[in-house]
Amino acid sequence: RVMDSYYGAGLRNYLFSNNFEQTRINIISGIRQQVSTYMDDDIEIIELRVEQDQEFQEGIRIKIEYFIKNYNAFDDLSLLIK
């Protein structure tokens, strides 16, 4: 997938964007689209939240709770973009 120019949710495109609701909606859409395209057989998103960080107002916190189908296991990932 390294050579696939469409791989990835494009989070770096939002690094210097204003922290508006529409920006957060676009990030959610991008993540869901990429999971559907590249990982639909492997994982299922249980919950996906993109919120303004409470401590760093310009930051965006991304939290993904997901189910790994092949291992019958739940996991989560939390990212803070400043």
Side-chain angles (χ1 to χ4, degrees):
R1 306 216 169 133
V2 175
M3 301 304 287
D4 186 347
S5 61
Y6 295 105
Y7 187 74
L11 294 179
R12 73 173 148 232
N13 297 330
Y14 299 102
L15 285 178
F16 299 104
S17 296
N18 291 317
N19 192 353
F20 295 136
E21 182 67 24
Q22 188 60 49
T23 302
R24 295 188 293 271
I25 290 169
N26 291 343
I27 291 171
I28 289 171
S29 176
I31 292 171
R32 286 196 182 278
Q33 180 180 5
Q34 291 299 303
V35 168
S36 174
T37 300
Y38 294 102
M39 297 179 246
D40 200 38
D41 294 335
D42 302 317
I43 70 168
E44 174 186 344
I45 293 178
I46 304 301
E47 184 175 0
L48 172 57
R49 291 189 317 240
V50 178
E51 304 169 329
Q52 183 174 6
D53 186 61
Q54 298 302 316
E55 295 177 24
F56 187 73
Q57 295 299 311
E58 293 82 22
I60 292 177
R61 182 165 302 278
I62 301 171
K63 174 130 183 174
I64 306 171
E65 295 179 16
Y66 57 96
F67 177 70
I68 306 167
K69 296 174 183 177
N70 292 339
Y71 295 102
N72 200 30
F74 291 91
D75 204 353
D76 63 77
L77 173 66
S78 184
L79 302 169
L80 174 60
I81 300 174
K82 294 183 182 182

